[in-house]
Amino acid sequence: MDALEAIKTRHSTRIFTDRKIPKDVLEKIIDAGGRAPTARNEQPWAFVVVTDPATVKKIGETTDHGKFISQASACVCVFCRDTKYYLEDGCAATENILLAAAALGVQSCWVAGDKKDYCADIARLLGVPPDQKLISLLALGYAKSPEGPKAKRPTSETLRWEKW
């Protein structure tokens, strides 16, 4: 699938089958995250891919609005060193991961990390060093039932030329 098609068809999925995602597919998805744009080429990110069902379940239970992570085949935890633009860089990497997953037929849902009360608990669970900030938790898997993207506002409502 090309990039524009992945952007148009990608949507959040919260109900997954128990089908496992092949390791090579997960590696391709993470490679895309590491190719994100980054301020000053800092590349502050690190990605923890969790596929152990018990740990994935624990991550889901730890969140406030991500309980569905418990049913995902994998959870990608995006961390960044505390650089000046860690949040922007981590979010760019997160978006690349979501789009790569869509291009490879894997559904996903982004759950917030940064500034959430559970960040330290997730980091501790995964043995992450204290200089890392949790940016996002990404539930990955294959959708239990097919659904398409929700309607987006048309470009005619959001596009401005030259001035507001």
Side-chain angles (χ1 to χ4, degrees), residues 3-17:
L4 292 177
E5 189 64 21
I7 290 168
K8 288 179 183 178
T9 60
R10 195 231 148 253
H11 61 279
S12 294
T13 297
R14 294 175 179 83
I15 302 173
F16 302 99
T17 68

Side-chain angles (χ1 to χ4, degrees), residues 20-140:
K20 301 298 178 205
I21 304 167
K23 185 177 181 181
D24 66 309
V25 172
L26 289 168
E27 288 172 347
K28 287 177 186 175
I29 291 169
I30 297 305
D31 180 66
R35 295 178 182 277
T38 171
R40 304 180 301 207
N41 200 29
E42 291 272 348
Q43 302 179 54
W45 43 65
F47 310 103
V48 179
V49 178
V50 180
T51 58
D52 172 65
T55 307
V56 170
K57 182 176 181 185
K58 181 68 176 164
I59 291 170
E61 291 170 347
T62 303
T63 68
D64 51 5
H65 297 288
K67 304 299 182 196
F68 58 89
I69 291 172
S70 297
Q71 304 306 313
S73 296
C75 180
V76 176
C77 307
V78 179
F79 289 89
C80 282
R81 291 186 321 276
D82 190 5
T83 61
K84 184 173 183 179
Y85 299 106
Y86 77 91
L87 186 57
E88 292 86 344
D89 289 349
C91 287
T94 296
E95 182 66 9
N96 272 19
I97 289 169
L98 296 174
L99 293 174
L104 293 168
V106 176
Q107 284 71 44
S108 60
C109 190
W110 180 340
V111 176
D114 192 55
K115 300 176 187 69
K116 291 297 222 169
D117 291 337
Y118 52 75
C119 289
D121 295 332
I122 300 287
R124 211 171 9 265
L125 175 68
L126 301 176
V128 176
D131 67 331
Q132 301 289 313
K133 292 181 165 282
L134 178 63
I135 305 302
S136 57
L137 300 169
L138 307 174
L140 299 180

